[in-house]
Amino acid sequence: MEALLSLAFDNISSKDSTKTRKGLRQIEGLLAQICLSNSSLKSSAASHKRRASAITLSQPQAATSPKKLSALSEDPAFREFFRLQEGFEWNGKSSTTTNPRRIELTSRLLVATRLVSCLERLLGMSSSTPPPTPHPAHPTQSQLTKPPGGQNDILILSALSNLQGILLLHPPSRTIFSREIYMNLLLDLLDPFNCPAIQSSTLLVLVTTLLAHPHNARAFERIDGLLTITSLFKSPNTTQSVKLKLIEFLYFYLMPETPSTPAAASAPNTAAALQRCSPSKPLGAFERRSTVGGAEGGGGGGVEEGEGTRSTEEKQRMLGRYLSNVEDLVQDLRENAPFAEMVC
């Protein structure tokens, strides 16, 4: 798995859109085999077959049905994936290590940071793409490797989908979004310049970053995330489907927050949490594994000491600066509790 991740990282770091697409599919295939496989690996040799870029469509339906949450704790692939991610956290926090090369090698395996870097590059390519010119006589190398607008959007959507999957499978990865530089990228993806599909997918990722991580919400607020959300909602150019996603996000944002709690960094602890919680509530199961937001911030716009949770009333007052009907949203939230099932 480590070799596959390294190969995928090399691909998504390439300026060649074909290699980028291949790398994203390799990560997607890895996540799919962790989540969809019904049976555990038969032997260590079988694990090397994870180099396939995606699940074969010809496989029977039984082999690709979603795995029960309780079964993940016994899946060698899930435990190995978790171990690789936790290796980054341990080395990233250690300031007394005498082997900097060890830190560099393990940090490369934190999938979330590599996907964020890929998104940043793809977003830059979208914003710098000039109007199309018909049949250039002598195309440059950058024109040959840079995907057209629509194709670049597909790559961004793929990277967002993978990022959401990573953040759900490995909640500690969400702590990187306590740094404003990472949170700001998500707000950039909500720019009206981007297509509605990208805006909707970004809102889903944004919700995932805030799950049980109030420090991330504080970073979101510091960089005027509420202004970005409400401005997009008020814009006459925003599609109806995106406005519905924005309303869902506001409902989620207004919910009272639960403080993040430190937890031991090990896959067995996650397995225990999985077994304690109902398989119908996967998000709550993983939240027991969450670490304190911002532990890996390391400065540069990270979490400020003393920042904690906010109540619904506090967030209502903040959102009221930009939106007039917040009281109706809060009342509807209390009466219908649309996200009650997310709590384990």
Side-chain angles (χ1 to χ4, degrees):
M1 183 180 294
E2 185 172 344
L4 173 59
L5 286 175
S6 296
L7 179 61
F9 292 159
D10 289 341
N11 285 329
I12 65 176
S13 300
S14 173
K15 294 182 179 180
D16 188 338
S17 61
T18 302
K19 289 185 177 180
T20 301
R21 186 184 306 107
K22 181 179 180 181
L24 292 172
R25 286 180 176 175
Q26 287 170 329
I27 295 175
E28 179 185 3
L30 175 64
L31 297 180
Q33 292 195 44
I34 292 175
C35 297
L36 299 179
S37 176
N38 272 345
S39 58
S40 59
L41 297 178
K42 301 299 182 181
S43 64
S44 59
S47 63
H48 297 295
K49 296 181 180 179
R50 295 184 180 275
R51 302 181 73 89
S53 62
I55 296 296
T56 306
L57 295 178
S58 60
Q59 287 181 327
Q61 183 63 29
T64 57
S65 59
K67 183 182 296 182
K68 291 183 178 181
L69 185 61
S70 58
L72 275 180
S73 61
E74 303 301 326
D75 181 21
F78 173 74
R79 297 176 71 88
E80 173 66 8
F81 173 79
F82 215 96
R83 184 190 67 81
L84 292 174
Q85 303 307 293
E86 295 301 309
F88 167 84
E89 289 196 342
W90 189 90
N91 285 280
K93 294 176 185 176
S94 175
S95 58
T96 58
T97 179
T98 58
N99 191 347
R101 184 172 180 271
R102 172 64 177 168
I103 294 181
E104 179 183 358
L105 289 176
T106 53
S107 66
R108 292 184 71 247
L109 296 175
L110 190 63
V111 182
T113 57
R114 304 307 291 259
L115 287 172
V116 168
S117 297
C118 178
L119 277 169
E120 187 175 14
R121 180 174 54 82
L122 291 172
L123 185 60
M125 293 171 66
S126 295
S127 60
S128 63
T129 301
T133 55
H135 308 292
H138 302 287
T140 64
Q141 182 63 27
S142 62
Q143 289 174 322
L144 292 175
T145 58
K146 180 181 296 183
Q151 185 177 353
N152 196 65
D153 289 349
I154 293 175
L155 293 178
I156 292 177
L157 288 171
S158 178
L160 284 170
S161 177
N162 282 338
L163 180 58
Q164 185 186 13
I166 290 295
L167 297 179
L168 289 173
L169 275 179
H170 187 253
S173 290
R174 299 174 199 166
T175 58
I176 68 172
F177 288 96
S178 66
R179 301 188 62 184
E180 295 176 10
I181 187 174
Y182 293 123
M183 184 62 73
N184 197 62
L185 174 64
L186 297 182
L187 299 188
D188 288 341
L189 288 165
L190 293 175
D191 192 281
F193 172 81
N194 292 310
C195 69
I198 289 178
Q199 294 171 340
S200 296
S201 295
T202 301
L203 287 169
L204 293 177
V205 174
L206 184 57
V207 167
T208 309
T209 66
L210 302 185
L211 283 172
H213 282 71
H215 291 298
N216 293 0
R218 304 293 81 80
F220 169 78
E221 293 162 351
R222 285 197 305 272
I223 61 175
D224 292 330
L226 290 176
L227 177 60
T228 301
I229 293 292
T230 53
S231 297
L232 185 61
F233 181 76
K234 295 177 181 179
S235 173
N237 297 324
T238 303
T239 64
Q240 190 67 22
S241 61
V242 173
K243 287 189 176 183
L244 289 175
K245 292 289 184 184
L246 289 166
I247 293 176
E248 292 175 354
F249 172 81
L250 291 177
Y251 277 130
F252 173 81
Y253 170 76
L254 288 169
M255 290 179 61
E257 298 172 349
T258 302
S260 299
T261 55
S266 64
N269 289 322
T270 301
L274 294 176
Q275 294 171 349
R276 288 195 300 267
C277 297
S278 168
S280 64
K281 304 172 184 177
L283 293 178
F286 285 110
E287 297 323 318
R288 297 179 184 271
R289 266 295 286 103
S290 299
T291 59
V292 175
E296 290 79 17
V303 178
E304 297 178 2
E305 186 177 358
E307 286 191 302
T309 61
R310 294 194 195 277
S311 65
T312 296
E313 290 73 19
E314 290 177 303
K315 292 190 282 188
Q316 178 181 348
R317 289 193 293 269
M318 295 181 64
L319 185 57
R321 302 171 188 171
Y322 312 103
L323 211 58
S324 59
N325 59 338
V326 183
E327 290 184 5
D328 296 336
L329 291 175
V330 173
Q331 182 178 356
D332 191 36
L333 177 65
R334 288 171 174 166
E335 290 178 355
N336 299 309
F339 298 103
E341 291 300 316
M342 296 178 66
V343 180
C344 183

